[in-house]
Amino acid sequence: AQSVTQLDSHVSVSEGTPVLLRCNYSSSYSPSLFWYVQHPNKGLQLLLKYTSAATLVKGINGFEAEFKKSETSFHLTKPSAHMSDAAEYFCVVHLSGGYNKLIFGAGTRLAVHP
Amino acid sequence: EAQVTQNPRYLITVTGKKLTVTCSQNMNHEYMSWYRQDPGLGLRQIYYSMNVEVTDKGDVPEGYKVSRKEKRNFPLILESPSPNQTSLYFCASSLGGTQYFGPGTRLLVL
C-alpha cells in the first residue's frame, strides 16, 4: 500500500536559520513525489516535484528536496528561513497509471519567528 | 491565465439542504478531482474524473455526488448535507501528475 508520513506536525524556526521538513513514503513502485505549500486561507501551490530524474530537486522560493530511495525519504530543506515561509507544507505521493491519484501526508505547519 | 475556479468560496447551510459547489478549469485538463481537507488529516480525495462522463470514487465518497458533462466543469453535489461534511473543499485538475488546485470552498453545515 502507498502511504506518506510527515514526521513532524509542527516545526518552529527562527528567521535566517535552516528549515528541515521530514517526509517518508511507502510505495510499491518508483514514485513521483511532490511538496505543496498552503499559506493561510489560500489554496495549495506546487513547491517542487521529483519524477525519477535528478535526486536533488530544486523548487521555488529557495526550497529543495532530496529523494533517497534507500531511506524512502523526501525531506524538504531551505538554507535560511524567511517570515513569508510560515505556512503548512504537504508531502505527496503520486500514483500513476490507471489511478492518477495523489496521496497526501497530514501536513507540517512551519512557524518562523523573528 | 491558467486557473481552477471554485464557487462559492464560503458557504453556511443547514442539514439536509441540497447544495452544489462548482469547479471550472481553463487548461483543457482531462483529469479533475475533489478533495476535502480536515485538520490533522491532510487532503483526502472524494471523487475524481478521468474525462467527460468518466467518474469514480476516491477515498471518502459517502454523501457526495459528482458529474462531468463538459471537460472544463466538475461540480460537487451534496444531496443532503450533514454536519460531518463541514470542511474545506478543493477542486483540482491535473496534467502528468502535477495537480493545480482551486482556491478552496469553506463549508459549514449546521
Side-chain angles (χ1 to χ4, degrees):
Chain A
Q2 333 304 321
S3 66
V4 179
T5 303
Q6 292 184 241
L7 297 165
D8 308 290
S9 58
H10 292 83
V11 170
S12 181
V13 301
S14 298
E15 191 175 21
T17 64
V19 175
L20 169 63
L21 305 183
R22 299 182 293 165
C23 173
N24 286 109
Y25 69 92
S26 169
S27 175
S28 304
Y29 319 99
S30 292
S32 295
L33 295 161
F34 302 76
W35 277 97
Y36 282 84
V37 60
Q38 184 180 28
H39 287 92
N41 300 313
K42 300 285 187 184
L44 280 83
Q45 180 184 18
L46 179 67
L47 265 183
L48 51 82
K49 65 178 179 180
Y50 166 77
T51 55
S52 76
T55 56
L56 183 62
V57 182
K58 293 188 185 299
I60 62 172
N61 300 334
F63 284 94
E64 61 183 36
E66 186 171 8
F67 173 70
K68 292 187 176 180
K69 187 174 182 178
S70 60
E71 298 175 11
T72 62
S73 69
F74 190 56
H75 300 336
L76 181 70
T77 60
K78 182 174 181 177
S80 176
H82 192 272
M83 296 296 289
S84 61
D85 294 328
E88 188 152 22
Y89 293 79
F90 293 96
C91 181
V92 183
V93 169
H94 173 238
L95 304 182
S96 60
Y99 296 101
N100 198 8
K101 176 179 175 177
L102 297 184
I103 297 177
F104 284 76
T108 298
R109 186 166 295 280
L110 175 65
V112 182
H113 302 288
Chain B
E1 179 190 354
Q3 61 181 347
V4 179
T5 57
Q6 295 178 227
N7 281 292
R9 294 289 313 280
Y10 302 91
L11 180 60
I12 301 174
T13 190
V14 295
T15 299
K17 185 176 181 182
K18 180 179 178 180
L19 65 92
T20 299
V21 184
T22 64
C23 173
S24 182
Q25 51 98 1
N26 63 2
M27 295 169 279
N28 203 36
H29 289 165
E30 291 181 347
Y31 183 89
M32 297 185 73
S33 59
W34 276 102
Y35 297 87
R36 61 178 289 172
Q37 182 180 17
D38 302 289
L41 297 177
L43 274 74
R44 295 177 292 168
Q45 190 179 52
I46 303 170
Y47 267 94
Y48 64 94
S49 169
M50 302 284 276
N51 212 328
V52 175
E53 301 292 2
V54 181
T55 64
D56 208 346
K57 297 177 180 178
D59 297 316
V60 288
E62 294 78 20
Y64 304 95
K65 285 175 55 177
V66 293
S67 68
R68 188 89 182 275
K69 293 184 170 53
E70 308 164 275
K71 200 172 194 178
R72 63 182 292 123
N73 295 323
F74 190 45
L76 178 69
I77 303 156
L78 285 71
E79 295 269 4
S80 183
S82 62
N84 64 12
Q85 292 178 296
T86 292
S87 188
L88 178 58
Y89 292 87
F90 287 100
C91 179
S93 70
S94 77
L95 179 66
T98 300
Q99 301 220 353
Y100 299 84
F101 288 87
T105 296
R106 191 169 291 279
L107 173 65
L108 172 62
V109 183
L110 301 173

